[in-house]
Amino acid sequence: MSLRFYNTMTRSLEEFKPIKPDEVRMYTCGPTVYAPAHVGNYRAYMFEDILRRYLIYKGYRVTQVMNLTDIDDKTIRDSNAKGITLNEHTQPIKDMFFEDIDRLNIQRAEYYPAATEHIGEMVAMVEKLLERGHAYRSGDSIYYKISSFPNYGSLSHMKIEDLMAGARIDSDEYEKETASDFALWKGWTEKDGAVFWETSLGKGRPGWHIECSAMSMKYLGEQFDIHTGGVDNIFPHHENEIAQSEGVTGDKFVNYWLHNAHLILDSKKMAKSEGNFITVKELTEQGHDPLAIRFVLLSTHYRQQLNFTMDGLGAAKAAITRLRDFKSNVESASGSGDGIAVNEAIEKAVRGFEEGLDNDLNISPSVAAVFDFVRDINSIIADNGLSASEKESVLENLKKFDSVLGVIFVDESGLDAEIEEMIQKRLNARKNKDFQTADEIRDALLSKGIILEDTPTGTKWKRKIS
Ligand code: AMP
Ligand code: ZN
């Protein structure tokens, strides 16, 4: 079966066809680092992790970019309120983000560009938009002229005549009702304090939306396959990204737009602004297994609202314990086995697992298929045990399922084993004088935050402190 995604742009399920046959380039809107990310934010990052892992499962090479929004209205507001620099405020929040990502066993993206390190690219884009008649200056700021872009509103399905033609909005976030020309470059005002850049556009700072256009195109090219975010990003953020990017290139920006529904707590969207939020760190400190949090976040289809409860967390813990017990049961099984039944159970499980995820990442049937597999194999073990080769193929398939689920074969030593394996592959490549592969492995490890050091006594590795 082919892989299908629900595309917000067309409001329909579409077969997935990447631009290059075996490579997927995707941009996933990342955290605004004004306050630590909460469990609701991780619903978005978990959906993106499942998307990434399943694309890899299907054999694609994935290049994922997740930005860090470290300059916007909120980061400036909060750093100024605390009387510290922007960087002093955002750096510890970035560090916490990477700690949470590791706790939740979310695979690292290939790139985590920070907005403050890409001001030059943003300025260049704004200059092009000015040249092409999509932007204009008003006072010290520069705005996008939405009436210059006939497709404005296509993602959020708004009619252009509903928009407030000619009105301008300065804030990064606003509602559909106030759709109007938005700020690309914000001229310095006193409330920005020491946060500004002196550029060809004048003294000021970028608007939020241009950040993602500039960083996605820098790392993924002018056109790429998938762009994701929570549903709250559809308008204005992603609508504005399209207007900016296509305004510059005159060509299609993104082929598939995927958006996750919200995580709800006490019948409201979990949000920093609502105050109804809890962090992964807090839950972990209360004794919850971070991989149980992972399982809660991944086991509801990404387009359905997810109601976060402690009962749900308890059930997730029980589910992953069952999966891990199964792994131990298989590992310690012996006997003559029953080749046909084992093969049938594997085939059925693989089919069920892939059917679910192929269908717009509908994970519930996939998880159900894994639990059926557990039941089927456990009963075979109880009757006949498993032969050595059956054991191997059961474990191999369980590993394959877990390459997406990420809750069974992981503990610190498990992650380390994966790194050691890659180091070994690199050494082998070097022995064979295949320096290109060796360098690719080194780069892949670096993108996971692992730094290699070749010493006379062998290759050592350490984690990069971000
Ligand atoms: P922010 O840090 O607010 O820019 O949000 C980062 C990402 O988390 C965006 O993709 C949001 O759409 C997403 N997000 C924020 N709150 C929730 C929530 N309660 N449930 C699911 N996704 C969320
Ligand atoms: Zn974004």
Side-chain angles (χ1 to χ4, degrees):
M1 222 3 184
S2 59
L3 180 57
R4 285 148 290 149
F5 293 132
Y6 181 85
N7 189 348
T8 308
M9 180 60 87
T10 58
R11 303 271 151 110
S12 63
L13 214 52
E14 291 178 18
E15 187 179 339
F16 177 63
K17 290 199 191 113
I19 298 166
K20 293 187 191 160
D22 46 12
E23 187 194 343
V24 178
R25 284 170 290 148
M26 65 180 197
Y27 189 84
T28 50
C29 277
T32 305
V33 286
Y34 74 105
H38 52 67
V39 176
N41 297 121
Y42 286 104
R43 171 156 215 218
Y45 311 137
M46 193 61 74
F47 140 60
E48 290 148 359
D49 186 53
I50 297 296
L51 170 62
R52 169 192 173 84
R53 284 168 175 264
Y54 194 55
L55 288 166
I56 294 171
Y57 175 105
K58 298 284 279 185
Y60 293 110
R61 195 155 64 81
V62 173
T63 304
Q64 179 189 359
V65 178
M66 180 178 280
N67 64 297
L68 304 171
T69 302
D70 57 355
I71 163 83
D72 80 322
D73 294 348
K74 291 184 286 195
T75 44
I76 293 181
R77 179 194 69 196
D78 291 1
S79 59
N80 283 344
K82 280 189 170 172
I84 54 178
T85 66
L86 191 65
N87 185 52
E88 282 166 351
H89 181 63
T90 58
Q91 190 56 50
I93 299 170
K94 289 181 192 171
D95 294 344
M96 279 186 246
F97 171 71
F98 286 108
E99 283 166 20
D100 281 349
I101 291 269
D102 288 346
R103 280 192 187 101
L104 293 172
N105 195 21
I106 290 177
Q107 282 184 353
R108 296 263 176 137
E110 279 62 33
Y111 299 99
Y112 287 100
T116 49
E117 285 163 21
H118 295 79
I119 304 295
E121 286 84 349
M122 297 169 204
V123 168
M125 268 194 96
V126 176
E127 276 174 347
K128 280 209 188 113
L129 288 170
L130 282 166
E131 270 166 37
R132 298 186 63 133
H134 288 298
Y136 61 92
R137 185 176 278 281
S138 172
D140 292 332
S141 296
I142 297 169
Y143 296 86
Y144 191 96
K145 186 176 178 182
I146 56 178
S147 63
S148 75
F149 187 71
N151 274 344
Y152 195 84
S154 58
L155 183 70
S156 50
H157 294 216
M158 288 177 8
K159 289 202 187 70
I160 192 107
E161 52 269 27
D162 294 345
L163 308 176
M164 298 170 40
R168 278 187 292 275
I169 191 133
D170 284 300
S171 55
D172 287 330
E173 290 177 87
Y174 49 92
E175 301 297 324
K176 265 189 187 179
E177 294 68 44
T178 50
S180 44
D181 292 354
F182 59 91
L184 295 165
W185 183 257
K186 304 185 186 196
W188 182 83
T189 64
E190 241 158 59
K191 71 177 182 340
D192 294 337
V195 182
F196 61 84
W197 284 263
E198 295 274 12
T199 72
S200 56
L201 302 174
K203 173 177 171 178
R205 59 168 173 115
W208 171 37
H209 314 294
I210 195 76
E211 298 179 6
C212 284
S213 282
M215 291 188 281
S216 59
M217 285 160 67
K218 167 158 185 186
Y219 293 94
L220 299 174
E222 293 187 347
Q223 191 182 65
F224 54 92
D225 301 297
I226 302 178
H227 196 313
T228 67
V231 284
D232 53 299
N233 282 159
I234 298 173
F235 187 89
H237 188 46
H238 292 166
E239 197 72 72
N240 291 351
E241 271 188 54
I242 295 170
Q244 295 163 156
S245 301
E246 297 190 1
V248 164
T249 66
D251 212 346
K252 193 174 182 188
F253 175 42
V254 166
N255 286 336
Y256 300 86
W257 288 91
L258 274 56
H259 293 99
N260 64 277
H262 285 142
L263 178 142
I264 305 291
L265 182 70
D266 302 331
S267 39
K268 271 193 299 212
K269 173 190 169 194
M270 183 178 281
K272 291 163 210 165
S273 55
E274 292 281 351
N276 66 337
F277 68 92
I278 185 154
T279 63
V280 172
K281 184 162 186 255
E282 283 163 352
L283 285 171
T284 312
E285 282 167 359
Q286 288 167 18
H288 295 287
D289 179 347
L291 294 183
I293 307 172
R294 173 178 176 88
F295 197 76
V296 165
L297 294 175
L298 67 80
S299 50
T300 298
H301 183 226
Y302 76 95
R303 286 198 293 117
Q304 262 171 28
Q305 274 193 0
L306 164 60
N307 194 14
F308 187 80
T309 64
M310 290 301 160
D311 284 352
L313 204 50
K317 176 72 189 170
I320 61 174
T321 304
R322 185 160 159 71
L323 293 172
R324 288 186 188 158
D325 289 349
F326 172 65
K327 173 181 163 261
S328 314
N329 196 28
V330 174
E331 281 167 345
S332 58
S334 60
S336 58
D338 175 355
I340 296 172
V342 170
N343 284 344
E344 278 174 5
I346 290 175
E347 268 170 37
K348 188 176 88 176
V350 170
R351 208 178 323 118
F353 187 76
E354 294 181 2
E355 258 172 27
L357 285 160
D358 275 348
N359 180 19
D360 191 34
L361 303 179
N362 187 10
I363 198 155
S364 312
S366 304
V367 169
V370 175
F371 279 99
D372 285 349
F373 181 57
V374 168
R375 203 195 46 223
D376 292 348
I377 299 293
N378 273 340
S379 96
I380 294 172
I381 294 175
D383 292 344
N384 300 309
L386 291 178
S387 68
S389 68
E390 287 172 347
K391 209 158 115 170
E392 204 179 301
S393 49
V394 168
L395 284 173
E396 201 179 290
N397 279 280
L398 192 62
K399 245 187 210 156
K400 190 122 197 267
F401 300 145
D402 199 47
S403 70
V404 181
L405 300 179
V407 292
I408 308 171
F409 290 83
V410 272
D411 49 28
E412 261 314 298
S413 59
L415 289 176
D416 290 358
E418 191 191 322
I419 293 161
E420 297 290 354
E421 203 180 305
M422 287 177 74
I423 291 176
Q424 196 52 49
K425 275 195 191 147
R426 175 172 169 267
L427 282 178
N428 292 343
R430 277 164 55 121
K431 264 192 212 136
N432 297 332
K433 304 222 178 310
D434 179 359
F435 296 111
Q436 192 185 342
T437 306
D439 287 349
E440 276 170 16
I441 296 175
R442 173 190 279 273
D443 290 348
L445 283 166
L446 191 61
S447 73
K448 290 178 195 292
I450 306 296
I451 301 171
L452 297 187
E453 222 177 303
D454 292 315
T455 73
T457 54
T459 305
K460 305 226 161 30
W461 63 268
K462 59 179 187 211
R463 281 182 209 284
K464 190 166 66 184
I465 312 293
S466 35

